[in-house]
């Protein structure tokens, strides 16, 4: 049980004294960057889905 207490104590010390936390401005900037990247990736995947759907639709229509 002493090992668990020591682990929690060391974790707390590391989080409060050794970790370099980003400033609020840096955090906002990173969040905007992640949001923009996620939107771009979503649009690329959506475009690929639309193109593949169109190609398959044309293929199956030509079979009938």
């Amino acid at each position: 049980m002493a090992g668990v207490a020591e682990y929690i104590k060391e974790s707390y010390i590391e989080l409060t004294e050794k970790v370099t936390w980003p400033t609020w401005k840096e955090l906002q900037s990173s969040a905007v960057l992640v949001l923009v990247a996620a939107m771009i990736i979503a649009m690329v995947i959506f475009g690929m889905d639309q193109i593949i759907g169109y190609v398959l639709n044309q293929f199956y229509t030509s079979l009938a």
Side-chain angles (χ1 to χ4, degrees):
M1 196 63 171
V4 174
E6 185 68 23
Y7 173 77
I8 293 172
K9 179 182 171 186
E10 289 176 4
S11 296
Y12 177 78
I13 290 171
E14 185 168 345
L15 287 172
T16 56
E17 297 175 9
K18 297 180 182 178
V19 173
T20 304
W21 296 100
T23 65
W24 181 248
K25 197 83 162 161
E26 292 171 338
L27 192 61
Q28 286 177 325
S29 177
S30 296
V32 169
L33 180 64
V34 168
L35 181 64
V36 169
M39 294 296 287
I40 290 171
I41 291 169
M43 288 188 295
V44 167
I45 292 172
F46 177 76
M48 290 168 48
D49 181 53
Q50 292 297 311
I51 291 169
I52 291 170
Y54 175 77
V55 168
L56 288 174
N57 189 27
Q58 293 299 315
F59 175 73
Y60 289 127
T61 304
S62 70
L63 293 177

